[in-house]
Amino acid sequence: MTDHYAVIGNPVAHSKSPAIHAAFAHQTGQHLEYGRILGSLDDFAGDVRRFVAEGGRGLNVTVPFKQQAWDLLGDRSPRAEAAGAVNTIIVLDGGLLRGDNTDGVGLVRDLAANQGFDFDGKRVLLLGAGGAARGALGPLLEAGPTALILANRTAAKAVELAATAADARVRGCALDELSGQRFDLIINATSIGLAGSTPAIPDDCLAEGGWTYDMFYGDEPTPFCRWGTEHGAARALDGLGMLVEQAAESFALWRGVRPRTPPVIELLRSGAPER
Ligand SMILES: NC(=O)c1ccc[n+]([C@@H]2O[C@H](COP(=O)([O-])OP(=O)(O)OC[C@H]3O[C@@H](n4cnc5c(N)ncnc54)[C@H](OP(=O)(O)O)[C@@H]3O)[C@@H](O)[C@H]2O)c1
């Protein structure tokens, strides 16, 4: 029998996850179907229950349900617990549900393994304090930077998030407190790209040879990728690689097989038709 998986979000029609998981399944010889579910804004729990009752084996959760998924699931991995958000639901034998968060590990894998960024001794600026930033915090610290500064429009949220790390390398502040500081890597984990804009950070906060990384992605260079290029970034990357890496981690959790990601990233970059 073919196992069923899906991404649940609202909206969800634009999601690249079905194409990514179809490519992983083909590559690894796994038999599965992966679809899209347009989640109802007032009954996310009901949608999940129905999917499981119909025999579904796992879900990816996207905007705006990651926090609701966290609330719904009592059994959460430590990294989901720390992130306060669930992007992967695993249906265990007997229909029990476990929540995980693969976004942060996906970000770090894309930066370190795919792009070759060496975090050792580096100063990193993480912009934003929402779900994506929360998920990234632990994996970024494990990667070994010297300093990790969290800056957010609403400063209190960055300060609060920094405190959860209980790590001397981490500090939270407002966007306008960054003047005079330089960073080797600036990661945009805000949703401002959707509005076609970039966070208000000082023009000179990227160190010479520094990189920028936008979790947002699109067919064209994102506004923050353009900011990086215009401000001398040695590399200005978007979040497509992160998207594929977080999917690969979910796939490995569900299927016990880790797909190779570079060909799938390449496939998406080439604009191959999506399902
Ligand atoms: N590539 C991937 O695989 C991947 C995975 C996850 C997320 N993402 C992307 O990451 C981004 C953030 O997602 P999320 O789930 O963390 O969203 P979220 O929880 O809604 O958080 C949004 C963040 O953006 C900030 N923000 C929003 N508008 C802003 C503005 N005009 N100026 C400055 N800051 C602004 C918010 O600041 P306040 O606290 O002040 O409101 C908050 O920190 C999205 O673009 C999402 O697509 C990508």
Side-chain angles (χ1 to χ4, degrees):
M1 202 176 84
T2 304
D3 288 339
H4 287 264
Y5 299 85
V7 54
I8 181 166
N10 188 329
V12 79
H14 66 288
S15 173
K16 294 181 189 293
S17 293
I20 295 171
H21 284 279
F24 289 164
H26 180 72
Q27 183 200 106
T28 57
Q30 296 277 308
H31 295 287
L32 59 89
E33 291 284 336
Y34 189 107
R36 291 182 175 86
I37 298 173
L38 179 64
S40 57
L41 294 173
D42 54 7
D43 192 21
F44 171 73
D47 288 335
V48 172
R49 260 197 307 275
R50 272 186 290 281
F51 177 77
V52 175
E54 288 163 9
R57 301 294 300 163
L59 285 166
N60 281 131
V61 182
T62 187
V63 177
F65 299 122
K66 290 184 188 183
Q67 169 86 58
Q68 282 187 56
W70 190 91
D71 291 336
L72 182 68
L73 302 183
D75 181 11
R76 297 180 293 245
S77 70
R79 59 192 179 187
E81 197 62 34
V86 160
N87 81 332
T88 305
I89 297 177
I90 303 143
V91 183
L92 304 169
D93 290 339
L96 292 175
L97 304 183
R98 180 168 172 78
D100 208 329
N101 189 310
T102 64
D103 282 336
V105 79
L107 166 74
V108 171
R109 278 211 188 111
D110 190 39
L111 270 161
N114 296 339
Q115 308 295 342
F117 186 81
D118 180 4
F119 283 87
D120 192 29
K122 300 294 196 314
R123 285 176 52 79
V124 177
L125 172 61
L126 180 62
L127 301 169
R134 289 176 68 108
L137 181 56
L140 280 173
L141 283 172
E142 278 170 30
T146 302
L148 178 58
I149 306 305
L150 315 181
N152 193 43
R153 177 177 61 178
T154 309
K157 280 167 70 177
V159 171
E160 199 179 308
L161 179 56
T164 66
D167 186 310
R169 295 172 294 167
V170 186
R171 195 168 61 79
C173 66
L175 293 172
D176 61 11
E177 287 177 82
L178 295 169
S179 57
Q181 299 193 57
R182 300 279 179 284
F183 299 94
D184 305 297
L185 171 65
I186 304 178
I187 300 167
N188 179 29
T190 76
S191 53
I192 196 172
L194 283 169
S197 191
T198 58
I201 55 173
D203 278 336
D204 60 355
C205 66
L206 186 64
E208 202 178 327
W211 292 24
T212 58
Y213 193 101
D214 195 354
M215 289 193 185
F216 191 51
Y217 54 84
D219 295 334
E220 302 294 324
T222 68
F224 192 67
C225 282
R226 290 202 301 275
W227 186 96
T229 305
E230 287 159 12
H231 291 78
R235 305 283 306 277
L237 302 164
D238 73 12
L240 190 69
M242 171 180 174
L243 178 77
V244 174
E245 290 298 338
Q246 61 78 27
E249 183 74 7
S250 298
F251 192 92
L253 288 168
W254 292 328
R255 309 297 300 180
V257 184
R258 181 167 290 280
R260 280 179 307 111
T261 49
V264 180
I265 296 172
E266 189 51 41
L267 182 78
L268 295 183
R269 291 253 182 247
S270 72
E274 287 165 28
R275 318 176 10 169

